Amino acid sequence: MTAAPSSSPSESAPPPVVRRADVLISGGGPAGATAAAHLAAAGLDVVVLEKTAHPREKVCGDGLTPQAVRELQLLGVPHRGEPGDDGGWQVIRGLRLRAGERSVDVPWPETRSWPDYALTRTRRDFDALLADLARERGAEVRERHAVTSVVRDDAGRVCGLDAELIAPNGRKTGETARFEAPVVLSCDGVSARAAVSAGIHRREDRPMGVAVRAYYTAGPAADGAVPAPPGDRGEWMESWLRLPDAQGRPLPGYGWLFPLADGTVNVGLGILDTSPQFGKLDYRGLLKSWSGALTPDWGISEQTRVSKILGAALPMAFNRTPQHVPGMLLVGDAAGMVSPFNGEGIGFAMEAARIAADLAVQAHAAGSDAAADAVLSRYPVITQHLWGRHFALGARFARLIGDPRVMRASLGAGMAVPPLLRAVVKVMGNTVDPERGDAVDRAVRVLEAITPALTTADSAPLGRLAR
């Protein structure tokens, strides 16, 4: 089949085809770069189109859960004193949960499936490291190429991408280019340009969140002492579960402090759209106010902030479907692969990218477009099997804690019973052992087994979950 312009016949002629590849990837973040690294290692010709240039800022907590760490291990990225470790990683033992005056430390569980530690690293460094890894393995990463639309062949199958070229100053150059491949991966984050241009839009029946964050250095504590850099505190991701609004009422979200290897701290907060106050809050003002509560034991305040406060949306619980259309798969944030439990998406994005890359390799060897799509169609089945029930439980959790009364009761019960919190952390962190494990793992597997999975198709079995 010949490629057909995605624009209408009355519009200008399509841009020239400048490159043909085995696989095209829209987006060079963790999903796109991970997929590219796996594909290049398998010997495929892969091109990544990234609208910005590395290194660049991304709004994120900079935390890599054990799920993400496992993907780093599978990629062969040195990070824990291994040969080649550049020292930019901070090893995290577990979560330190805070609610008012109460604090409970919950180490990452030991399982057969997951590492028993997490990591932190700024997305500025992390994304550039993964992009460099993809290049080293043979992938072509074209920066400052902003994808505008998919290209379809005469049969309507996605077979390429159109892109605008961006100047180093961030402005459009007016130049466009077309890239073609029999397999396209939409890994372009919450904007999901490739997916949207293909007519795949966000689902309103799945939860959404918003997060804001900034970087801080430790300053003098309330008693005048200077808090020690990382040390014990640097070994924990700290989560504040009681995040008050202006009237002191708990919000359906949480605050975080994620220490980094250079001694700075990523401080942020996330809010779910199940709150009636969603969209009405001054999130940046809330972060500024909350940072003042961190002065006594962290020495953090507005005076120690060293970056702008930036915000971004969190697309959750498979909120863009279908994940497969002929010729294309949706991966990571583009498919809404963010957990409603904790707003974490990097681990899901990297694991999904590995799965998509493996299927793309098989599709490449299939011999025809129809056979390739028969292979690619397995992707949403696999992701639903892996995370459909986890996301379904998370979506219900998001709806429940939208009620302040439920939030207060949950915090009161949970903080008083540390073993319960350890079970909750296993669920929220997606570190339940899928095969063996302890009594908690077995209980969660039973709970998930009786929970209808969130589908990756276009139906919505749980009904309207968002406000």
Side-chain angles (χ1 to χ4, degrees), residues 25 27-38 40 46-56 72 75 77 89 121-144 350:
I25 299 176
T34 296
H38 285 297
V46 55
V47 174
V48 180
L49 303 179
E50 165 58 40
K51 66 180 179 181
T52 60
H54 296 292
R56 80 284 195 268
L72 287 176
L75 281 170
V77 176
W89 309 94
R121 185 165 186 148
T122 67
R123 286 287 300 276
R124 179 180 174 87
D125 291 344
F126 181 67
D127 290 15
L129 181 150
L130 291 181
D132 287 344
L133 176 67
R135 289 190 184 97
E136 291 167 8
R137 294 188 175 178
E140 181 179 344
V141 181
R142 294 206 177 198
E143 297 178 331
R144 300 190 180 95
M350 294 180 71

Side-chain angles (χ1 to χ4, degrees), residues 291-336:
S291 68
L294 304 173
T295 303
D297 54 352
W298 279 86
I300 283 174
S301 67
E302 263 300 287
Q303 287 67 45
T304 70
R305 179 161 59 86
V306 293
S307 75
K308 294 180 179 179
I309 298 176
L310 299 177
L314 299 174
M316 299 175 170
F318 294 146
N319 83 334
R320 197 180 304 275
T321 60
Q323 293 176 4
H324 166 247
V325 295
M328 185 170 72
L329 301 178
L330 277 57
V331 185
D333 284 10

Side-chain angles (χ1 to χ4, degrees), residues 211-216 243-244 254-257 266-270 282-294 300-302 305 307-311:
V212 294
R213 68 98 177 103
Y215 295 102
Y216 296 77
L243 192 64
Y254 70 100
W256 69 75
L257 298 98
N266 181 312
V267 181
L269 58 90
D282 174 7
Y283 302 110
R284 289 171 174 78
L286 185 60
L287 180 59
K288 291 179 180 179
S289 176
W290 179 53
S291 68
L294 304 173
I300 283 174
S301 67
E302 263 300 287
R305 179 161 59 86
S307 75
K308 294 180 179 179
I309 298 176
L310 299 177

Side-chain angles (χ1 to χ4, degrees), residues 14 37 45 64-65 155 194 234 270 282-283 300 305 387 406-407 423 442 446 451:
D45 180 16
L64 303 169
T65 63
D282 174 7
Y283 302 110
I300 283 174
R305 179 161 59 86
W387 310 313
V406 175
M407 186 70 167
R442 293 191 294 272
V446 170
T451 300

Side-chain angles (χ1 to χ4, degrees), residues 64-74 79 115 117-119 350:
L64 303 169
T65 63
Q67 179 186 15
V69 173
R70 185 182 69 166
E71 296 305 316
L72 287 176
Q73 293 173 338
L74 293 173
H79 58 271
Y117 62 97
L119 298 166
M350 294 180 71

Side-chain angles (χ1 to χ4, degrees), residues 9 147 181 185 227 239 340 391 458:
V147 169
L185 303 182
S239 295
F391 285 164
D458 284 329

